[in-house]
Amino acid sequence: MSVNEKRDKNIKSVLQLTKIGTIVMMLFCVLSLIFGYYICYYTWDIGVIGENSLTGFGSDTVAFVLYTLDFYICVCFAAVILVGVWKLVSNLEANEVFVRANTKLLNLITFGCAGITAFCFIGGIVSLSTIIIGVVALFMGLIVQCVKVLMDKAIDIKEEMDLTI
Amino acid sequence: MAIVVNIDVMMAKRKISAGDLANQIGITPANLSILKNQKAKAVRFSTLNDICRVLQCQPGDILEYVED
């Protein structure tokens, strides 16, 4: 087997693994939407969340409702990110790598990350621990945005190459 | 674009079709169309050399600078 064949096989398996991972995460998203209330209830109840309140909400009902609402909104943003990843991987599988559609998808993923960051920081009012998730999402969004800029530059170079006769 | 490609004028003068020219230069008709329609961003010296050889002309006969 030549080096190119090995590399192609490796890329294929990475893309397939990413797709499987995306499906699993989608499943988690759906389960989170269905059982979101219970997830929030139990994580709130065991005291992991809610004890480090910035405003002293503590285990107040209003704080719990805010926390649950925040959870649901973040799951929706996560679903947006997963749809973006799924479409991106599908494009890569179809050998459409340096196309403008992919930069739009990277923008969509960044939007999802920004949404999660914003709502996790808002959630910090009732629970400090959500801020950690927000910071992670912020880092992810920044990395994706850098990749998007790189992709834009690569597409410009490719277009110039394509139009060189 | 300030540089205009007048390849169609030379083709008409030499009475050569786009297909024949593309074939003799060794480029695809699609690429020749890009060149004719002023969509090309760059032309390789080797391509320019082949065009001049086939059309029996100078680079200046094909490329023209026009003020914007």
Side-chain angles (χ1 to χ4, degrees), chain A residues 21-63:
Chain A
T22 312
I23 291 168
V24 171
M25 292 304 286
M26 287 257 199
L27 206 69
F28 276 130
C29 266
V30 172
L31 289 174
S32 297
L33 284 173
I34 296 167
F35 303 108
Y37 172 78
Y38 299 102
I39 293 168
C40 291
Y41 181 79
Y42 285 111
T43 51
W44 187 264
D45 197 42
I46 58 175
V48 177
I49 318 287
E51 285 187 353
N52 301 319
S53 168
L54 286 178
T55 53
F57 268 120
S59 57
D60 190 36
T61 315
V62 180

Side-chain angles (χ1 to χ4, degrees), chain A residues 9-29:
Chain A
K9 201 180 169 190
N10 189 33
I11 290 170
K12 255 187 181 177
S13 53
V14 167
L15 290 176
Q16 276 175 350
L17 269 175
T18 313
K19 269 201 160 178
I20 291 166
T22 312
I23 291 168
V24 171
M25 292 304 286
M26 287 257 199
L27 206 69
F28 276 130
C29 266

Side-chain angles (χ1 to χ4, degrees), chain A residues 3 20 35 60 66 80 84-85 106 114:
Chain A
V3 180
I20 291 166
F35 303 108
D60 190 36
L66 269 175
V80 169
V85 171
L106 287 172

Side-chain angles (χ1 to χ4, degrees), chain B residues 27-66:
Chain B
I27 61 171
T28 61
N31 276 347
L32 186 64
S33 172
I34 289 170
L35 207 57
K36 276 172 69 181
N37 295 326
Q38 321 291 333
K39 284 181 182 167
K41 294 219 173 176
V43 184
R44 286 191 194 92
F45 275 158
S46 57
T47 311
L48 194 60
N49 182 65
D50 290 340
I51 292 169
C52 291
R53 179 177 48 79
V54 173
L55 294 177
Q56 292 176 327
C57 62
Q58 292 298 313
D61 298 328
I62 299 163
L63 304 175
E64 185 189 355
Y65 174 73
V66 179

